[in-house]
Amino acid sequence: MTRLLLIGPPGAGKGTQAVRLAEAYGVPAISTGDIFRSNVKNETELGKQAKAFMDAGDNVPDSLTNALIRDRLAEADAQGGFLLDGYPRTADQVRELDEYLASHGEALDVVVELVADPDVVVERLRKRALEQGRSDDDESVVRHRLEVYREQTEPLIDIYDERGLLVKIDALGAIDEVTARITDALSGRGIGLPDAATA
Ligand code: ADP
């Protein structure tokens, strides 16, 4: 049973690593960004409410995000652990997650911070904008997302560090290499891969 959280600036590679780690540890990757994007695409009520915030590079209001995550964590596949990508992003979301887990007698095992230089992430997002055309990867929106990250999300890292849950990982380098850094760091904390195929 592994409950992981990935935190880091936009463009640090959270989504990429989340998919790989979820597969390795046999837990679902739960990305609030992906869930919002699919709701926008399908023009659901939630998508309609979230779209303007996302396009502006602002956080979607906590009330919407917290309700979404509560529902998602209650699903069957998340009962054996999960990997959260992009949540929590605000102090209010940390409180919500703490309460949710405590009321289910659960707790986080580890928080992985992907550390990347702002210049590098801006450059990565510039490339992604060309390749995928995500509407919030426009350069001025990217800069705003980085500011929002710095103001609202970065302070959360200290909270998890004080709880002794934080593992800092250098997010620069090949995708495989970054994944290996994370799995090594986790096995150093007693969180092994389920098939014991640790390198
Ligand atoms: P990135 O981490 O690269 O910024 P995400 O896919 O995680 O991209 O998020 C894209 C957008 O979705 C955010 O800019 C925000 O508008 C919205 N979003 C995602 N997760 C959250 C969250 N936990 N709280 C509020 N808004 C969120």
Side-chain angles (χ1 to χ4, degrees), residues 25 35 52 74 96 106 112 122 175:
Y25 292 97
I35 296 172
E96 170 75 20
E106 299 169 358
V112 175
V122 168
I175 290 172

Side-chain angles (χ1 to χ4, degrees), residues 167-188:
V167 170
K168 280 183 188 286
I169 301 289
D170 177 4
L172 300 190
I175 290 172
D176 279 345
E177 218 172 281
V178 176
T179 308
R181 279 179 206 146
I182 297 170
T183 52
D184 284 353
L186 296 196
S187 71

